[in-house]
């Protein structure tokens, strides 16, 4: 079909459900703007289906493994189909919380202190935690998940053992990091401009899956984040820098903790959520950019060789 946009959604990751919400919201907005749109679940033999559809471009609404990590991006490069958001290498780097942190640290962006546990090569936990000067509570998480899946706050060794055992069957590489108290601040970057910073105040222990996607969890969103002008500009600068260091394109969202006047970057998301409760659309709205305009901008920005 001529001038068709395929919205890739669903897929194979743990964030499949959320990706449908993102995908549907984006596809509806594009239809409203007059684009010809087809939704496609990136599962099974979807590449054959995609080839048959011969789209003008792909709107990537996938989250997590295979959708946000360079995998689908390389398929689209090899098919020469333009696509939205970041390219192959930036997606892979950003999805890998260890590799992206190495780059952040090298470029003087603060991250929590951490070490890696690799399945089969765990080594001496006690030695590692002492060497890194990390104290309980600690946070453990897979290097390549999203939506807070597999994120556990552990107050002591017993809780750590219990949660690590839950994670180690599904994931080969797990981060152990210091818990940073304080505020949860997230920043949206569009093209090379940081749009704004929002603060999230969960009613739950932390900003977990429910706090992110359930209205009932009543997470408070404060836009703009209540920071001094200096600190507000600083976090915008850091998010823009992280976007640039990773070589990201389109729109990203960087997640920070703010404690004792310092920002700690947790990660940069290359396929940020676009659901009803999502933060990029909320930040953009505050800046006068409507959801439809945001999605249409992503379409116009799509290309290959990203
Ligand atoms: N070191 C930490 N200190 C304090 N809280 C943390 C820490 N790491 C993670 N968290 C909490 O867990 C949440 C999810 O962590 P993180 O952003 O690393 O995971 P994710 O699954 O990649 O999330 P996303 O939905 O953004 O993809 C954070 O927003 C924060 O509330
Ligand atoms: Mg996050």
């Amino acid at each position: 079909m001529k001038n068709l946009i395929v919205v890739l959604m669903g897929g194979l990751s743990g964030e499949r459900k959320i990706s449908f919400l993102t995908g549907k919201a984006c596809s509806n907005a594009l239809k409203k703007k007059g684009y010809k749109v087809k939704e496609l679940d990136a599962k099974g033999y979807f590449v054959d289906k995609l080839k048959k559809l011969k789209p003008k471009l792909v709107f990537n609404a996938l989250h997590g493994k295979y959708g946000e990590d360079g995998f689908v991006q390389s398929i689209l490069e090899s098919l020469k189909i333009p696509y939205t958001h970041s390219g192959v290498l930036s997606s892979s780097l950003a999805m890998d919380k260890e590799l992206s942190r190495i780059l952040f640290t090298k470029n003087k962006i603060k991250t929590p202190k951490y070490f890696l546990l690799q399945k089969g090569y765990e080594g001496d936990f006690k030695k590692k935690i002492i060497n890194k000067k990390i104290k309980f509570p600690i946070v453990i998480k897979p290097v390549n998940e999203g939506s807070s899946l597999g994120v556990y706050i552990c107050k002591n060794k017993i809780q750590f053992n219990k949660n690590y055992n839950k994670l180690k069957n599904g994931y080969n590489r797990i981060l152990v990091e210091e818990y940073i108290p304080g505020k949860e601040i997230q920043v949206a970057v569009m093209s090379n401009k940081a749009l704004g910073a929002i603060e999230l105040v969960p009613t739950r222990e932390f900003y977990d899956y429910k706090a992110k996607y359930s209205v009932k969890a009543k997470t408070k969103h404060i836009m703009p984040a209540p920071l001094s002008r200096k600190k507000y500009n600083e976090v915008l600068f850091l998010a823009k820098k992280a976007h640039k260091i990773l070589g990201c394109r389109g729109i990203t969202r960087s997640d920070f903790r703010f404690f004792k006047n310092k920002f700690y970057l947790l990660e940069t998301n290359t396929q940020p959520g676009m659901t009803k409760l999502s933060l990029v659309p909320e930040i953009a709205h505050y800046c006068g950019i409507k959801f439809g305009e945001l999605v249409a901008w992503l379409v116009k920005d799509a290309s290959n060789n990203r």
Side-chain angles (χ1 to χ4, degrees), residues 15 68 95 97 101 112-113 138-153 175 177-182 184 186 200 202 205-208 212-213 253 255-257 264 266-269 271:
E15 292 181 277
E68 193 166 355
M95 188 72 197
K97 290 187 169 84
R101 264 177 201 195
K113 284 187 271 182
I138 58 172
V139 180
I140 65 169
K141 58 175 89 160
V143 290
N144 58 350
E145 261 300 354
S147 289
S148 300
L149 295 169
V151 176
Y152 293 100
I153 297 174
L175 284 186
E177 63 188 47
E178 61 174 339
Y179 174 81
I180 312 284
E184 179 92 26
Q186 306 200 354
L200 294 316
E205 189 192 14
F206 73 103
Y207 196 39
D208 64 357
K212 283 178 181 173
Y213 304 116
R253 195 196 73 233
D255 303 342
F256 296 85
R257 302 286 303 171
Y264 296 80
L266 292 179
E267 58 155 353
T268 297
N269 296 286
Q271 293 282 132

Side-chain angles (χ1 to χ4, degrees), residues 268-281:
T268 297
N269 296 286
T270 51
Q271 293 282 132
M274 299 281 268
T275 71
K276 266 196 184 141
L277 286 182
S278 292
L279 309 163
V280 166

